[in-house]
Amino acid sequence: MTTNAEEPKTRPRRRAPAGAAVLREDVTEAIRGAVFEELAAVGYARMSIEGIARRAGVGKTAVYRRWRSKLHLVLDLVSALAVQGLPVPDTGSLEGDLRLLYELTSRALRHPVASQVIPDLQAEAARNPEIAEALQKALREGQEGVASKIVVAAEGRGEIRNGFDADLALDLISGPLYWRSVVIRSPKLPKGYLASLAGATAEALKAL
């Protein structure tokens, strides 16, 4: 006669749900880097998950576990730009802050990847409302977060008057350099251009 006490029962191990696997951050970063490189090399229209995976040195499954499609992948990366932003200059003067901001922004816009990716995404945005919304959010919030802090600091120092037009201030700060670097894509800025732009923008902001 056998009893339940004669042999202890072992509980079967529970298998982790398929979606519970931990996504390695180094793989995620490799994929993100590959997306920018692939965008710069072939553009959004010709970009493929296969090409991204090959450039990142991973399988397609690794990409699809993180993003459903190349559209969602690009939207995620573009949206992340708004969060990262640029460091806020703190030189003690409005003109000094603007000059440092322009130097940092100009350097970023001249990067080979950025100089190819941004115009391509702008062209794609004309056909895809989701990309248009994400790109506008990234560009506007990325600059607005820095520009608003610069003008608020200048207001606190008494360099510009209270109650200035915040939207117009953002246009004055961001417009000229973006126009020259991204729209007409000037290959090289004239000597002293950033210093002159900072001085002229500071005077324009004081006149608001």
Side-chain angles (χ1 to χ4, degrees):
M1 184 175 176
T2 60
T3 65
N4 292 337
E6 289 180 1
E7 195 172 316
K9 292 183 179 180
T10 57
R11 294 182 180 178
R13 291 183 179 180
R14 289 185 178 180
R15 297 183 62 184
V22 177
L23 300 179
R24 287 173 49 187
E25 187 61 29
D26 60 330
V27 173
T28 302
E29 289 305 311
I31 295 171
R32 286 181 173 136
V35 172
F36 284 115
E37 292 174 5
E38 192 76 356
L39 274 171
V42 304
Y44 178 82
R46 294 175 56 196
M47 187 178 74
S48 66
I49 296 297
E50 290 81 359
I52 293 168
R54 184 167 54 251
R55 194 179 288 273
V58 300
K60 289 192 299 181
T61 304
V63 181
Y64 282 119
R65 285 173 62 195
R66 292 162 172 81
W67 298 278
R68 292 181 304 188
S69 66
K70 73 173 186 178
L71 173 61
H72 290 91
L73 205 168
V74 170
L75 289 176
D76 178 52
L77 294 185
V78 170
S79 299
L81 294 177
V83 178
Q84 295 174 1
L86 293 167
V88 179
D90 185 16
T91 66
S93 74
L94 174 59
E95 186 172 339
D97 287 351
L98 289 172
R99 181 168 181 175
L100 182 53
L101 172 64
Y102 290 146
E103 289 174 354
L104 294 171
T105 304
S106 177
R107 195 177 306 144
L109 291 175
R110 286 199 312 269
H111 190 281
V113 173
S115 65
Q116 293 295 325
V117 169
I118 293 176
D120 184 67
L121 287 180
Q122 285 181 317
E124 192 62 34
R127 299 182 289 269
N128 190 314
E130 289 182 278
I131 289 182
E133 182 180 356
L135 186 61
Q136 182 184 39
K137 179 182 176 65
L139 292 174
R140 183 170 182 84
E141 291 188 4
Q143 278 289 315
E144 191 171 31
V146 178
S148 63
K149 290 182 174 63
I150 288 177
V151 292
V152 166
E155 182 185 25
R157 291 190 298 263
E159 293 180 273
I160 59 177
R161 69 175 181 82
N162 296 333
F164 60 88
D165 187 326
D167 288 334
L168 183 54
L170 178 61
D171 291 342
L172 288 170
I173 292 172
S174 303
L177 184 58
Y178 186 81
W179 164 262
R180 182 177 282 269
S181 300
V182 177
V183 179
I184 64 174
R185 305 185 73 179
S186 178
K188 187 176 181 180
L189 295 175
K191 185 176 181 180
Y193 175 80
L194 295 180
S196 298
L197 179 60
T201 305
E203 290 304 314
L205 291 170
K206 292 173 184 178
L208 288 180

